[in-house]
Amino acid sequence: MILHHLRNASAVVQLAEHRLLVDPMFSEPGSMPSFRFLARGGQRNPIVPLPDATEAALEGVTGVIITHEHPDHLDRPGLAWIRDRGLPVWTNAVDAANLRRKGLEVRELVDGALGMRIETVTNRHGRGLVGWLMGPVAGYYLAHPDEPSLYLVGDAVLTDAVLDAIDRLQPDVIVAPAGTANFGLGDILFSVDELVTVARRAKGVLLLNHLEAVDHCRTTRLQLRARMAAEGLADRVFVPEDGEALRFDERTGTRPEPRLTATPRPGLQKWLTAKIAGT
Ligand SMILES: [Zn+2]
C-alpha cells in the first residue's frame, strides 16, 4: 500500500490495482470562507496550497472515495476534477443521492466492492448539538487480499464504535483526523489525548491528517510529533507533510469478518451540511 498524503484529508491510496483518491479538496488558498464560524481568529481556507507532488499523484487514479460531503472533503474544484474524468465515486447511503444529483457516478462502498472486505463504521463528528448538526458521517475499513488492511476513520470524535472497530478488525494502517477541529461549539475531531488512546489501542500504524491546512484545525504537526514521542509512540504514528508518500507492506494476517452495519440515513442535518458545503 502506498498512501500519498496531499493536504487535509485528501490523499491517493494505492491498494493493489486500485489508485483511490480520497476526499478531494482542491481549492486554491483563500477561496473558501473561514470554518471558525463562531470563533475569533479565522482565516479564509484552505490556508496552504496543494503540494507540488499533487499532479503526479493524481495520475492514473481509478476511483474516488468520499467519506462525507463536507467542504474540506469535497469542494467545487474536487467535484469538477472527478466529473471531468467520469471516475466512479465510492461512498455510503448518506451522501449517495446528493452526489448523484451533482452528476457523479456513485457506487455504494459495501462489503465486496473493489474486491475488498469492507465495513462501514458510523461516527460522531462532535458531541451533543454540534455532533447532530454535523450530520451522520462514517469511516471505512478496507481489506484487500494482497495488501495491509486500512481503516480510514473519517471525521470523528472518539466513540466506542471507533474503539470497537480497532479492537475487532485490528487494521494494519489507520488514518485519523488530528487537527482538533473546532468552529466555536466544541471539538468536532479527536483531541490529542484521544489520538494517544487510539494509537495505544491500535496494533498497526496510525497516520494523522487534517493538519495545518484549514483554519479551524489548530493542532500543529510539531505539537503532535512531540506528544507522540513523549508517549513512546513515535515509531507507530506518522504525521506526514503535505505531498509525502508513505509505503506500508506489513500485514499482521489478522482478517476478521467485517460486520454488516446499518447505514445511517440522511436527515435534516444532511440538507443543512449540504447547504454549508455548497459544492
Ligand atoms: Zn474534515
Side-chain angles (χ1 to χ4, degrees), residues 145-167:
D146 304 326
E147 292 279 14
S149 58
L150 171 67
Y151 176 21
L152 294 171
V153 176
D155 282 8
V157 292
L158 191 60
T159 57
D160 289 344
V162 169
L163 290 175
D164 169 70
I166 294 170
D167 289 346

Side-chain angles (χ1 to χ4, degrees), residues 8-9 68 70 72-73 125 155 177 189 210 216:
N8 195 55
H68 65 296
H70 283 173
D72 63 320
H73 295 256
H125 195 346
D155 282 8
L189 294 181
H210 278 77
H216 66 325

Side-chain angles (χ1 to χ4, degrees), residues 35-39 124-134 156-157 179-191 194 216-218:
F35 298 144
R36 286 175 69 79
F37 305 112
L38 301 170
R124 301 284 303 159
H125 195 346
R127 295 190 168 86
L129 176 68
V130 70
W132 180 85
L133 276 171
M134 296 301 280
V157 292
T180 329
N182 187 323
F183 53 79
L185 279 178
D187 290 350
I188 53 172
L189 294 181
F190 295 119
S191 67
E194 288 176 339
H216 66 325
C217 288
R218 310 294 258 200

Side-chain angles (χ1 to χ4, degrees), residues 125-268:
H125 195 346
R127 295 190 168 86
L129 176 68
V130 70
W132 180 85
L133 276 171
M134 296 301 280
V137 298
Y140 300 104
Y141 165 80
L142 308 166
H144 189 285
D146 304 326
E147 292 279 14
S149 58
L150 171 67
Y151 176 21
L152 294 171
V153 176
D155 282 8
V157 292
L158 191 60
T159 57
D160 289 344
V162 169
L163 290 175
D164 169 70
I166 294 170
D167 289 346
R168 236 176 349 97
L169 300 165
Q170 298 191 17
D172 298 311
V173 179
I174 299 175
V175 178
T180 329
N182 187 323
F183 53 79
L185 279 178
D187 290 350
I188 53 172
L189 294 181
F190 295 119
S191 67
V192 177
D193 287 343
E194 288 176 339
L195 291 167
V196 170
T197 304
V198 167
R200 289 203 189 291
R201 237 11 207 261
K203 298 243 179 339
V205 303
L206 178 64
L207 195 135
L208 302 177
N209 64 18
H210 278 77
L211 293 165
E212 297 169 298
V214 285
D215 78 324
H216 66 325
C217 288
R218 310 294 258 200
T219 303
T220 65
R221 289 180 170 94
L222 263 169
Q223 288 167 342
L224 272 171
R225 288 185 188 127
R227 176 68 189 275
M228 294 301 168
E231 301 284 346
L233 292 164
D235 58 330
R236 287 198 298 116
V237 179
F238 295 85
V239 185
E241 297 295 329
D242 290 353
E244 195 174 338
L246 293 134
R247 188 188 172 107
F248 301 103
D249 293 317
E250 211 158 307
R251 297 181 40 169
T252 57
T254 313
R255 288 292 158 105
E257 275 291 295
R259 209 177 262 175
L260 190 65
T261 39
T263 319
R265 309 311 300 182
L268 173 64

